[in-house]
Amino acid sequence: MTQKTSMEPGQLARVLARKDVLALAFGAMIGWGWIVLTGSWIQSAGSLGAITAFLIGGLIIVLVGLTYAELASAMPQVGGEHVYSYRALGHFASFLCTWAITLGYVSVVAFEAVALPTVVEHLFPGYAVGHLWTIAGWDVQATWVAVGVAGSVLMMWVNYVGIRTAALLQKLVTLLILVVGIMFITGALFQGDTATMEPLFSVEEGVVGGIMLVIIMVPFMFVGFDVIPQAAEEINLPFREIGRVLMISVIMAVFWYSLIILGTALMLNPEQLAASSLAVPDAMQAVFQAPWAGKLMILAGIAGIVTSWNAFYVGGSRAIYALAHSGMLPAWLGKLHPRHRTPTNAILVMGMLSSIAPFFGRPALVWLVVAGGLGIVIAYLFVAISFVVLRRREPEMPRPFRVRQGKLVGSLSVLLSLGLIALYMPGSPSALAPVEWLLFAGWMGGGLVLYAWSRKRYGVSYSDQMMKRELAGADPYPGR
């Protein structure tokens, strides 16, 4: 049955319906990357090779998503990974897992503050003026920074005033993306030419090599379904449905990316792709033979920025909130607004970090994605291990959404997560650069300092007591 929507002081509001949750996860996954990267995917792997890479990568994410779906339905508490890893692996592992995924969320929120002024340049060329400084060879302009900061403050305000406002925005903007996407895909299927899809696979890299070049980027295009477990205490659905909606959102994203690649390959030949800076808007313009169509697709890309930005504000602030309420971070980060029922201080911290990012200019895009991506796949590994441990240790735990062949799915998820982590390590073609290692190490090191301070201030016994109350379904923080 559907959960109660009533709430007591100090509790989150359980108000998100099925459409809200689906828009939250799907909107988080599609983001802006498909607008700028589709052309390079096709050039790297060929048209069919790029689609194959997303189907294979999507299968990997589906397997990891299945472990999330079962655990989210079994333990629908705020914090998601925080709760699962605590129950399976203990106090410190829970902190490492949640702090790592928080890096991923914060990096996406900061990334969007850099992506927004970047895409606005395609609508209003030359708007960036007022040179501030140069970073990594890129000139940072005052008006460019102002657009990023303004967008960040607006998204922070939307999330500050309540989850209902954030959910409404998410649904409206996701609907815009879907409408434009359907216009593009159906138009390309009727107007396109299969001859432009040649070569189907990469000539330079070979079939396998080309597919691998794209696969290493695929998992990070799907980051976002894990926002659902973070907001579990605000979802007003039967617990079994939480797992189902999570899986539906992942499958929708697989089809979205694959069809966008197909539509682009049908409309632009290799020469046109090489000359295009934004392949999907150019393909959309080719479908309708009008400049307005390309600008409409750019607006859909901006909508993708908004959906991803919004969703990761939700996910990141709830992860920080959960850590603070379990005594793993300072308590002031766990404050709820008395009227809006949002983790206000966690949202403000994320807004501050997001607003700083534009001052580092466009080079920050790559730094944030890569450093944050490592945090995300580390969290995937912890969740997969937690799934395996709990299946073995607590076989009788109620699991409203139960994964078939759980042992096989869990083992594959662990191995695949380890493989994803290996992609970031030295020696890999996608290994972290020194500045990216610095960002990752700085985040994890700073978190460990806060964890040590909080452990000394509140004690592990306090944290254990809070987590046990949370797992039992009680209000874990009475009177606090």
Side-chain angles (χ1 to χ4, degrees), residues 42-43 195-199 265 268-276:
I42 297 172
Q43 290 177 293
T196 65
M197 295 181 65
E198 297 289 344
L268 300 180
N269 60 39
E271 291 74 22
Q272 291 170 318
L273 282 173
S276 174

Side-chain angles (χ1 to χ4, degrees), residues 26 30 173-183 252 256 300:
F26 178 70
I30 56 177
V173 180
T174 301
L175 180 62
L176 169 64
I177 298 171
L178 287 173
V179 169
V180 176
I182 291 170
M183 288 174 58
M252 284 178 61
W256 173 268

Side-chain angles (χ1 to χ4, degrees), residues 75 77-87 467 470-471:
M75 292 169 279
Q77 281 89 28
V78 66
E81 295 92 342
H82 175 58
V83 179
Y84 320 147
S85 55
Y86 176 86
R87 185 159 183 164
M467 290 301 301
E470 177 76 1
L471 289 168

Side-chain angles (χ1 to χ4, degrees), residues 103 360 367-368 370-372 374 432-446:
L103 169 60
F360 290 90
W367 302 340
L368 291 166
V370 178
L374 178 56
L432 268 65
V435 67
E436 293 153 1
W437 276 117
L438 184 63
L439 279 172
F440 178 79
W443 177 267
M444 297 305 294

Side-chain angles (χ1 to χ4, degrees), residues 94-454:
S94 177
F95 171 78
L96 288 179
C97 173
T98 314
W99 192 243
I101 197 75
T102 303
L103 169 60
Y105 294 147
V106 170
S107 70
V108 172
V109 167
F111 170 91
E112 304 302 358
V114 179
L116 180 62
T118 300
V119 68
V120 168
E121 283 185 307
H122 292 278
L123 292 176
F124 306 102
Y127 88 94
V129 295
H131 181 264
L132 296 177
W133 44 71
T134 301
I135 294 181
W138 198 82
D139 294 333
V140 181
Q141 306 288 347
T143 53
W144 192 93
V145 171
V147 170
V149 173
S152 182
V153 171
L154 177 61
M155 294 307 303
M156 180 178 66
W157 176 81
V158 167
N159 279 271
Y160 187 94
V161 298
I163 190 69
R164 289 181 188 272
T165 306
L168 176 61
L169 175 67
Q170 192 79 358
K171 283 192 294 185
L172 293 175
V173 180
T174 301
L175 180 62
L176 169 64
I177 298 171
L178 287 173
V179 169
V180 176
I182 291 170
M183 288 174 58
F184 170 61
I185 293 164
T186 54
L189 290 175
F190 283 104
Q191 300 291 331
D193 186 352
T194 54
T196 65
M197 295 181 65
E198 297 289 344
L200 298 180
F201 296 95
S202 173
V203 175
E204 294 181 3
E205 302 293 339
V207 175
V208 176
I211 290 174
M212 288 303 297
L213 282 175
V214 177
I215 277 186
I216 63 173
M217 293 182 277
V218 168
F220 319 117
M221 295 296 107
F222 286 92
V223 169
F225 69 87
D226 37 87
V227 170
I228 291 180
Q230 294 295 340
E233 283 189 22
E234 294 160 281
I235 297 175
N236 189 33
L237 287 175
F239 296 154
R240 179 180 178 86
E241 289 301 305
I242 295 175
R244 286 179 174 175
V245 172
L246 189 153
M247 293 311 305
I248 290 171
S249 69
V250 173
I251 293 169
M252 284 178 61
V254 173
F255 277 100
W256 173 268
Y257 281 114
S258 300
L259 289 172
I260 290 293
I261 293 170
L262 175 62
T264 304
L266 285 170
M267 297 308 303
L268 300 180
N269 60 39
E271 291 74 22
Q272 291 170 318
L273 282 173
S276 174
S277 60
L278 291 177
V280 180
D282 287 346
M284 179 75 163
Q285 183 170 326
V287 168
F288 293 94
Q289 295 296 309
W292 65 262
K295 292 187 180 297
L296 180 62
M297 185 58 80
I298 290 176
L299 288 175
I302 294 176
I305 290 175
V306 172
T307 57
S308 181
W309 213 344
N310 189 44
F312 284 100
Y313 256 109
V314 173
S317 60
R318 272 60 178 179
I320 293 171
Y321 167 85
L323 284 171
H325 261 290
S326 63
M328 298 183 189
L329 286 179
W332 63 273
L333 287 169
K335 178 186 176 183
L336 280 184
H337 193 282
R339 180 161 61 91
H340 301 313
R341 293 290 184 249
T342 53
T344 53
N345 288 340
I347 290 171
L348 291 173
V349 167
M350 292 192 68
M352 179 188 69
L353 294 173
S354 178
S355 298
I356 291 172
F359 288 91
F360 290 90
R362 193 179 296 172
L365 282 171
V366 176
W367 302 340
L368 291 166
V369 169
V370 178
L374 178 56
I376 288 166
V377 296
I378 287 173
Y380 286 173
L381 175 62
F382 274 96
V383 172
I385 294 173
S386 298
F387 175 89
V388 172
V389 169
L390 290 173
R391 270 295 186 101
R392 187 173 302 169
R393 184 192 298 165
E394 301 186 44
E396 303 303 319
M397 181 175 68
R399 292 171 168 86
F401 182 96
R402 189 177 183 89
V403 176
R404 295 180 181 179
Q405 299 295 324
K407 186 176 181 180
L408 175 61
V409 169
S411 299
L412 286 174
S413 297
V414 171
L415 292 175
L416 292 171
S417 298
L418 286 170
L420 291 177
I421 292 173
L423 295 177
Y424 292 91
M425 296 297 110
S428 167
S430 52
L432 268 65
V435 67
E436 293 153 1
W437 276 117
L438 184 63
L439 279 172
F440 178 79
W443 177 267
M444 297 305 294
L448 289 172
V449 170
L450 291 174
Y451 173 80
W453 182 90
S454 301

